[in-house]
Amino acid sequence: MLKSLSVLAGMLIATLALPATPWAADPDPRDWDAVLAEARGQTVYFNAWGGSENINSYIGWAGETLNQRFGVKVIHVKLDDTANAVAKVLAEKAAGKNEGGSVDVIWINGENFASMKRQNLLMAPDWTTGLPNWVYVDHENMPTILTDFTIPTDGLESPWGGAKMVFFHDTARTPADSIPHSSVELLEWSKDNPGRFSYPQPPDFIGSSFLKQVLIETIEDKSRLSQPVNAASFAEDAAPLFAYLDDLHPNLWRGGKAYPQNYPDMKQKLADGELDIIFAFNPSEASAGIAAGELPDTVRSFSYTDGTLGNTHFVAIPYNATAKAGALVLANFLISPEAQLRKQDPALWGDPTVLSMDKLSAEDRAAFAALDLGVATLTPDELGPTLDEPHPDWMEYIEREWLRRYGVAN
Amino acid sequence: MTGDMRLARLAPPLTLAILLGPLFFGLAGTALPAFGYLPELGGEKFTTQHFSALAAVPGILRSSVLSILIGLVTTLVSLGTVAAFVASDLGTAGFARVRRMISPLLSVPHAAAAFGLAFMIAPSGMIMRLISPWATGLDRPPDLLIVNDPMALSMMAGLIVKEIPFLFLVTLSALPQTRHMETMRLGRSLGYGRIASFTYLLWPPLYRQIRLAVFAVVAYASSVVDVALILGPHLPPTLPVRLITWMNDPDLSIRFLASAGAVAQLGVTLTALLGWVGLERLGALLVCNSRSAGRRLRRDTVLRHGARAVMIASAAVVFGGIAMLAVWSVSGLWQFPDALPSSFSLRSWTQALPRMSGPLQTTLAVAGLSTLIALVLTILCLEREYETGRGRGGGALLLIYLPLIVPQISFMFGLQVLSIWLGVDASFSALVLAHLVFVLPYVFLSLSDPWRAHDRRHDLIAAGLGMSRTRTLVRIRLPMLTRAILTAAAVGFSVSVGQYLPTVLIGAGRLTTVTTEAVALAAGGNRRAIGVYAFMQTLLPFFAFSVATGLPGLLFRNRRGLRV
Amino acid sequence: MTLDNLTTHQGLRLSGIHICLGDRVLVALNARVLRGQTLTVMGPSGSGKSTLLAYLGGFLDPAFEATGRVFVDGVDLIALKAEKRRAGILFQDPLLFPHLSVADNIAIAIPETVRGRRQRRALADAALEEAGLAEYGDRDPDTLSGGQKARVALQRVLMSQPRLLLLDEPFSKLDAGLREQTRQLVFDQARRAGLPVVLVTHDEEDAHAAGGQVHEVGPA
């Protein structure tokens, strides 16, 4: 029974995976009027992480605006993990669905981008630099816009916002003069304050970022990080990282036997008094949390002296998207000064812009300058230097090694 | 009306096709990659290497064993509690009270109950807040591993508080078909204690009626994802959680490992079921020995109080948890050890509500339609069963329970690929069909026993009065079984509302329900947003069950013979 | 059609009835029951005597094998579906439909040819009055006494205008005084309606009260 079924299923795969008809020519952003005309009336399925009500509201606003101005309807497909959307596109490719796919725009960076790019799951070639609003993008000064986790973006994903690791503490419990300013100091601090620090369990994005931060600070030959992992020397390269973790873990929250789920979970634990130091990838998170009544107003931000990890997040269009023109209109709108200004407002989202102030009109520049970033947000110079993301390979290796070492307690 | 009930003839094969088609194709779609065949990812030839890779994953054995134990312990404790409680309190005024209290719990989705429990028992949870700092001296939560403990105790607790109402309700619906009052009186007149009377005399026929429901609990608990994510251990997590992680891994080659794991999950659930059958044998042996020895077990007070306490505690925990969700959904800043938020705000609701109407409509439409189809098919199948005279033992209809026993996760990937092949992903009808796969068995499970136990002489009398089969069904059987039918509908409705995986996969994110929205938000861990959605998620099935319990009482308020 | 012809066709005729379970013969019977007369089938419990009623009523479990011919007033009963046979049946439990009121329990038995809600209700009320239960029409059947329930059940079956009446130990659950009374009522009514009756019982007194021919079914 089972055998004949699998044979049947195999035949089904064979039949359905026959070469599909070649798909129609993609819209060209350099002919913007044609894009706008084609986009009118389209529905764009925007696959984006849905775990933050602020962000969901922002996307809702963008959709309404697009609908009013360009007749493009945007539907936010809320993901709990971006990889689900990647998997969906892959499943569609597996089923031979080379057009009319269910994902039109995907919020993406790093590992997921590398994976989609490698498997040719993205709309190509370069479409981002042809977007009308590309002229404002600060690609000269922000290398992470053209290189996503050391992988060249090649115009396959359009920048949306910046991110940089920042730490938060509650001054009511943790005095400002006691906070650490490097991973080494954090280790010392945790020994003095056992059980009051932790990080989300990898492969949570924030948790993995913490591992990368320590890796960057502890690895001897930093140049290796821009290359794919050398399997032969990995153990040696990562040895300082895992020595550090071995030292740190006994003093983690719950003794390292359980981990926070993700950043919002850590935020809750800071408010509950379970954790004393937490961190996020968005410098205005603390201010936003205070404004929302999720954190006490005594919370403040801090950064490391020698810098913290930073990157850019993007939107990309799958190769088989149904509403490519609409997707282009959305991507373009997301890097408009108007949308970026709103995105940087901590009351609404509070994500650093990817635009260059120098390229903006005087009026827009003034609007950005007038933003109240909130009491707990650091100024750009207080944020300290930005450390580049390592090659995505590293994340994979480290996550795997982490799981091997710590994945089974006792 | 000649040739009536002809439809009923088509019902069994149609039902089986609806249930087993997706199941078998889904399993095939999972099994092929597990054995290395998935050409789109470069898997061209059959191999067992992915199973070797699976075996080499750190802690995989522990994850699997843990899943099996969770399945067994959860079922044992919840079934034992229900049985002991029914034994000790059946027929008392307290029984009716507890019954009214417990029944609504069935409507609470697992995820919502799990969140509620976590909000209660965590070191920064309500219980600790209530006794701090005056009793504990703590002004900060203690660093204790309660939620997500490695032994999965909190996870089992979360499952038990939800399985108790399920098994209780199933037992209640089977109870009227036994002569329970007389039997208990007879037992006690022979000098047996309540528990002994129940165990020796009433339990064997009763258990036979609810056995498949118990199997479903074993299978569910050994393969559950959402509760494990919220309350389960982290290092390592249970097997289903690891599967989800692998399936979501951006490195698509992990799909082979995930598929192999999904096949392993089949084995895990099967092992748990076999373990349960072993426990059944053991239990039967113990009961048999005790009965043969004529043990009266008159001093069963401790057991009786214990069972009652667990029943009431489970209700208190879930209700308390829901109340916590509600408070969190309107709370502003709420720091430890404050027992109440320092400020209240409707911000979470005003943010969420405008975006909830779409998912809400989808939820209601899918749940309503799938429940309706399931009811019609179930009733026609049962009619057909009656007509052909084939009872419960024989017939292919037992296969109807397969979707409850086969872990959802084991056939979901294959099912997703199938729906894309057919070009029906993200279509409303495909979503209804996908829900039907899970709604139908539950509807069937909860309706078939009362249906079969219906006193057929009523139908004979009706036939003697010249009423046709159809008329008998509509005028006699359906009204007499109103309570059972509405309960089955409410069960089906809440099963549909609670569906996460099928909705995400077949809805392809375009058709979202309150549950998928809730879980997506749960990814953000924001207690206020979780509060809003989990509360909404609870409200819908609660409403359905209120109708199921309230309506018959209202319709038949002057009919003593229809009271249970 | 001659008078003679008419009389030969009247009543119930059972010819060559043979009901088996596997190799076991449960019932083997030839009989003629005129209108208003009663055939009593006696036997201990478990002897399979009730299968005869199931066979006549048209709901014999497929596990049993049955042959033979059954005519009522010349109509071949076996060729009809259960609901077309108009074989009224009374069990030892009155089995009133618990969801319907007392009057509706009777009204539901009225043939479809009687139209109009009011007319049907009037018929039901008349039947209730005849049973001495005029005030009980809107009551919950579960609130009636055992004797009252039995009377409602009888009125219900008569209301359906049956061709014949099948009685499955209908008095065995009643206490002695009531039993005598109910027995009398049932047989009187059957006689008055001119119905052939098949009574299955293990109670000699039942057979005696029925007063017709008696067929013994062997023990199991």
Side-chain angles (χ1 to χ4, degrees):
Chain A
M1 177 70 168
L2 208 60
K3 193 181 163 195
S4 62
L5 262 175
S6 47
V7 169
L8 188 66
M11 279 161 54
L12 203 58
I13 293 176
T15 325
L16 290 160
L18 284 176
T21 45
W23 44 98
D26 292 334
D28 180 5
R30 281 153 194 93
D31 185 359
W32 193 245
D33 289 336
V35 171
L36 284 179
E38 192 184 335
R40 187 162 289 279
Q42 285 188 333
T43 300
V44 175
Y45 288 92
F46 185 11
N47 285 240
W49 183 70
S52 158
E53 281 295 89
N54 274 353
I55 298 175
N56 295 349
S57 295
Y58 180 89
I59 293 175
W61 165 81
E64 278 161 34
T65 314
L66 233 59
N67 197 14
Q68 278 160 20
R69 291 189 201 163
F70 307 107
V72 175
K73 205 173 160 204
V74 176
I75 291 180
H76 179 189
V77 178
K78 299 188 189 72
L79 306 175
D80 56 345
D81 190 330
T82 302
N84 287 346
V86 179
K88 208 184 298 172
V89 177
L90 177 85
E92 287 173 354
K93 191 179 185 190
K97 194 169 185 177
N98 289 323
E99 52 187 16
S102 63
V103 181
D104 292 312
V105 176
I106 180 168
W107 183 13
I108 199 167
N109 77 352
E111 214 180 347
N112 287 310
F113 172 69
S115 168
M116 287 192 88
K117 185 182 177 192
R118 190 172 60 242
Q119 317 233 14
N120 297 322
L121 296 175
L122 293 172
M123 176 165 121
D126 170 26
W127 50 270
T128 57
T129 57
L131 294 176
N133 286 332
W134 177 258
V135 293
Y136 304 118
V137 173
D138 193 8
H139 54 89
E140 295 88 347
N141 297 310
M142 296 187 195
T144 54
I145 288 176
L146 296 179
T147 316
D148 183 6
F149 287 49
T150 76
I151 306 287
T153 58
D154 291 342
L156 304 184
E157 53 177 358
S158 169
W160 190 14
K164 189 170 189 304
M165 187 184 258
V166 258
F167 294 81
F168 310 131
H169 67 114
D170 186 347
T171 51
R173 289 196 305 264
T174 316
D177 55 6
S178 69
I179 55 176
H181 288 286
S182 70
S183 291
V184 176
E185 286 182 34
L186 177 69
L187 183 60
E188 292 308 314
W189 182 90
S190 73
K191 285 175 182 162
D192 298 335
N193 301 275
R196 298 298 171 191
F197 175 78
S198 191
Y199 55 93
Q201 181 177 338
D204 176 80
F205 165 69
I206 303 283
S208 298
S209 296
F210 174 77
L211 300 184
K212 284 185 283 185
Q213 172 74 30
V214 178
L215 174 72
I216 294 169
E217 286 187 64
T218 54
I219 193 168
E220 286 190 15
D221 183 359
K222 293 196 187 350
S223 68
R224 296 210 163 168
L225 295 176
S226 56
Q227 305 294 323
V229 171
N230 176 353
S233 67
F234 173 73
E236 196 185 324
D237 292 337
L241 165 66
F242 288 102
Y244 179 96
L245 294 179
D246 286 342
D247 247 9
L248 177 70
H249 281 189
N251 294 317
L252 285 185
W253 175 81
R254 305 289 187 255
K257 286 195 166 57
Y259 290 81
Q261 270 186 303
N262 46 31
Y263 167 71
D265 196 13
M266 287 204 295
K267 176 166 66 176
Q268 187 67 58
K269 288 179 166 50
L270 179 65
D272 286 345
E274 296 216 17
L275 296 177
D276 280 348
I277 290 181
I278 66 165
F279 52 94
F281 236 74
N282 176 344
S284 61
E285 264 295 342
S287 298
I290 294 170
E294 294 167 349
L295 291 174
D297 56 9
T298 44
V299 167
R300 292 294 178 272
S301 311
F302 65 95
S303 180
Y304 285 173
T305 323
D306 292 335
T308 55
L309 205 59
N311 65 36
T312 301
H313 50 251
F314 302 82
V315 293
I317 304 174
Y319 82 105
N320 65 347
T322 307
K324 283 180 177 162
L328 289 173
V329 175
L330 175 61
N332 186 55
F333 177 72
L334 293 178
I335 50 173
S336 66
E338 176 192 6
Q340 289 278 312
L341 177 68
R342 199 176 165 92
K343 193 164 183 289
Q344 191 159 358
D345 185 344
L348 301 167
W349 183 342
D351 224 16
T353 181
V354 291
L355 303 187
S356 162
M357 290 303 125
D358 297 341
K359 295 180 182 177
L360 298 181
S361 70
E363 197 186 331
D364 286 335
R365 204 161 35 236
F368 271 95
L371 276 181
D372 176 10
L373 295 184
V375 284
T377 309
L378 299 175
T379 61
D381 38 311
E382 286 171 323
L383 269 176
T386 297
L387 303 176
D388 283 340
E389 290 275 358
H391 189 277
D393 239 19
W394 284 92
M395 181 127 129
E396 211 176 295
Y397 268 77
I398 289 170
E399 282 174 0
R400 202 178 307 147
E401 182 64 12
W402 189 95
L403 193 67
R404 199 184 66 75
R405 284 169 179 258
Y406 313 115
V408 183
N410 315 321
Chain B
M1 271 227 263
T2 50
D4 51 356
M5 309 314 292
R6 195 173 293 158
L7 261 177
R9 203 162 304 166
L10 295 174
L14 185 65
T15 305
L16 285 183
I18 285 174
L19 291 179
L20 302 186
L23 191 67
F24 283 123
F25 280 108
L27 282 178
T30 303
L32 288 175
F35 288 98
Y37 187 81
L38 187 57
E40 288 71 20
L41 285 179
E44 302 276 340
K45 59 177 196 298
F46 286 85
T47 165
T48 55
Q49 74 179 72
H50 303 300
F51 287 98
S52 322
L54 181 69
V57 168
I60 193 71
L61 189 65
R62 182 160 154 183
S63 296
S64 309
V65 171
L66 201 57
S67 286
I68 295 171
L69 286 179
I70 290 168
L72 293 178
V73 174
T74 300
T75 314
L76 196 61
V77 175
S78 11
L79 187 66
T81 304
V82 167
F85 174 72
V86 172
S88 84
D89 281 25
L90 183 62
T92 65
F95 188 79
R97 262 201 303 281
V98 172
R99 178 206 175 123
R100 272 195 296 279
M101 192 168 71
I102 294 276
S103 301
L105 295 187
L106 187 58
S107 65
V108 180
H110 279 86
F115 278 125
L117 183 68
F119 287 8
M120 298 274 280
I121 63 171
S124 60
M126 198 59 192
I127 293 173
M128 196 57 86
R129 284 168 191 260
L130 286 175
I131 57 169
S132 298
W134 58 273
T136 60
L138 295 170
D139 57 356
R140 313 188 50 177
D143 189 13
L144 292 175
L145 187 56
I146 299 177
V147 173
N148 310 123
D149 63 294
M151 304 270 290
L153 295 179
S154 55
M155 174 177 168
M156 288 192 245
L159 285 168
I160 287 167
V161 296
K162 270 299 296 161
E163 298 311 337
I164 281 180
F166 174 65
L167 290 173
F168 186 58
L169 216 79
V170 170
T171 307
L172 280 185
S173 66
L175 209 50
Q177 281 81 65
T178 59
R179 295 188 167 263
H180 54 89
M181 288 298 182
E182 295 88 333
T183 309
M184 289 297 284
R185 279 178 202 154
L186 185 67
R188 295 178 70 200
S189 73
L190 296 174
Y192 289 95
R194 273 180 165 271
I195 302 262
S197 303
F198 180 81
T199 315
Y200 297 159
L201 305 175
L202 204 51
W203 184 242
L206 205 55
Y207 182 73
R208 221 168 293 136
Q209 284 205 62
I210 67 168
R211 191 169 182 226
L212 281 165
V214 176
F215 278 14
V217 171
V218 176
Y220 178 82
S222 69
S223 65
V224 62
V225 177
D226 47 4
V227 177
L229 279 171
I230 298 160
L231 295 171
H234 284 172
L235 304 171
T238 59
L239 185 60
V241 173
R242 303 188 88 166
L243 296 186
I244 288 289
T245 318
W246 292 336
M247 286 195 176
N248 288 343
D249 198 297
D251 179 359
L252 298 164
S253 61
I254 303 288
R255 279 309 173 94
F256 290 108
L257 183 66
S259 301
V263 173
Q265 176 67 51
L266 269 182
V268 161
T269 298
L270 193 67
T271 311
L273 286 169
L274 287 176
W276 182 256
V277 172
L279 286 177
E280 280 179 351
R281 293 267 158 85
L282 189 68
L285 202 69
L286 289 177
V287 169
C288 188
N289 281 342
S290 175
R291 189 185 53 215
S292 309
R295 275 191 209 110
R296 295 308 201 250
L297 303 176
R298 263 170 294 209
R299 297 217 299 246
D300 52 10
T301 330
V302 176
L303 194 56
R304 293 176 52 193
H305 284 310
R308 204 174 303 145
V310 175
M311 288 296 278
I312 293 171
S314 74
V317 162
V318 178
F319 282 129
I322 301 298
M324 295 289 299
L325 291 173
V327 177
W328 269 107
S329 76
V330 293
S331 78
L333 189 63
W334 190 2
Q335 287 188 282
F336 191 86
D338 304 339
L340 277 176
S342 55
S343 65
F344 288 92
S345 146
L346 283 176
R347 180 189 157 107
S348 303
W349 282 96
T350 50
Q351 269 191 336
L353 277 182
R355 281 191 303 284
M356 216 189 269
S357 74
L360 198 59
Q361 280 167 19
T362 312
T363 309
L364 291 174
V366 172
L369 203 58
S370 57
T371 302
L372 190 69
I373 298 174
L375 267 182
V376 170
L377 282 174
T378 299
I379 290 174
L380 289 179
C381 281
L382 290 168
E383 262 305 290
R384 179 68 184 155
E385 183 184 286
Y386 175 96
E387 205 167 68
T388 55
R390 255 178 298 178
R392 61 175 64 225
L397 278 176
L398 273 184
L399 290 172
I400 213 166
Y401 298 103
L402 262 185
L404 299 190
I405 312 287
V406 177
Q408 228 180 37
I409 201 168
S410 291
F411 62 99
M412 71 169 198
F413 177 62
L415 200 59
Q416 185 193 23
V417 174
L418 182 74
S419 76
I420 298 172
W421 273 338
L422 298 176
V424 296
D425 59 314
S427 76
F428 179 77
S429 46
L431 189 59
V432 171
L433 209 62
H435 276 219
L436 199 53
V437 175
F438 304 100
V439 170
L440 191 47
Y442 274 104
V443 169
F444 198 92
L445 189 63
S446 58
L447 190 54
S448 58
D449 285 335
W451 192 276
R452 287 167 180 153
H454 177 74
D455 189 341
R456 289 186 183 184
R457 290 178 304 170
H458 284 114
D459 299 300
L460 306 187
I461 287 190
L465 299 178
M467 293 168 70
S468 68
R469 291 288 310 274
T470 312
R471 189 143 177 266
T472 307
L473 182 69
V474 174
R475 293 293 304 275
I476 306 297
R477 195 108 55 98
L478 294 184
M480 283 185 71
L481 289 166
T482 300
R483 189 181 295 274
I485 290 169
L486 287 179
T487 302
V491 169
F493 188 86
S494 64
V495 164
S496 171
V497 169
Q499 288 302 316
Y500 174 65
L501 286 179
T503 315
V504 166
L505 290 170
I506 307 301
R510 297 185 174 200
L511 292 167
T512 59
T513 62
V514 176
T515 295
T516 57
E517 298 281 297
V519 177
L521 274 172
N526 179 339
R527 281 190 197 155
R528 291 163 187 83
I530 290 172
V532 170
Y533 276 87
F535 192 71
M536 270 313 278
Q537 207 200 354
T538 308
L539 217 56
L540 292 178
F542 179 79
F543 183 70
F545 274 97
S546 311
V547 171
T549 46
L551 198 60
L554 202 67
L555 285 177
F556 303 121
R557 60 187 174 282
N558 296 325
R559 297 290 177 264
R560 209 165 56 182
L562 287 177
R563 280 180 223 150
V564 186
Chain C
M1 190 177 279
T2 67
L3 187 70
D4 180 57
N5 202 341
L6 191 72
T7 47
T8 47
H9 282 90
Q10 271 182 352
L12 168 70
R13 202 154 55 106
L14 306 170
S15 53
I17 306 295
H18 213 79
I19 303 174
C20 323
L21 180 61
D23 295 335
R24 217 180 110 200
V25 179
L26 301 171
V27 180
L29 178 64
N30 278 299
R32 177 96 194 271
V33 189
L34 295 178
R35 288 175 162 215
Q37 291 193 349
T38 300
L39 164 68
T40 304
V41 179
M42 292 277 300
S45 55
S47 60
K49 59 186 185 299
S50 288
T51 55
L52 175 65
L53 295 191
Y55 178 59
L56 297 178
F59 27 78
L60 190 65
D61 193 292
F64 296 93
E65 263 179 65
T67 53
R69 312 198 66 186
V70 179
F71 291 93
V72 182
D73 301 346
V75 177
D76 180 359
L77 217 56
I78 302 304
L80 297 174
K81 296 171 79 167
E83 69 260 25
K84 301 274 181 194
R85 293 188 183 187
R86 285 166 43 205
I89 187 163
L90 286 178
F91 292 100
Q92 49 181 278
D93 297 308
L95 294 171
L96 301 182
F97 301 126
H99 59 293
L100 300 177
S101 71
V102 171
D104 282 344
N105 258 284
I106 293 178
I108 201 166
I110 302 171
E112 281 169 287
T113 47
V114 181
R115 294 190 183 274
R117 182 186 289 262
R118 198 171 304 162
Q119 199 187 339
R120 294 174 69 90
R121 176 65 197 240
L123 275 173
D125 283 341
L128 279 174
E129 194 165 350
E130 192 183 318
L133 294 167
E135 305 301 314
Y136 291 81
D138 291 323
R139 287 276 287 269
D140 174 2
D142 208 48
T143 59
L144 301 188
S145 72
Q148 289 169 331
K149 283 182 191 169
R151 276 167 11 226
V152 174
L154 178 63
Q155 290 301 334
R156 180 173 65 182
V157 72
L158 293 174
M159 187 55 86
S160 68
Q161 302 179 0
R163 288 191 173 100
L164 75 165
L165 196 57
L166 306 175
L167 304 180
D168 193 352
E169 308 209 19
F171 318 117
S172 60
K173 277 201 171 170
L174 301 171
D175 56 51
L178 200 56
R179 192 183 306 161
E180 183 51 43
Q181 206 182 327
T182 312
R183 201 147 44 194
Q184 220 47 60
L185 183 69
V186 170
F187 291 128
D188 284 352
Q189 294 275 17
R191 230 165 272 141
R192 198 140 55 112
L195 294 173
V197 178
V198 179
L199 165 69
V200 161
T201 185
H202 62 268
D203 186 344
E204 294 279 356
E205 280 184 45
D206 282 352
H208 185 72
Q213 39 184 328
V214 175
H215 178 84
E216 297 273 353
V217 175

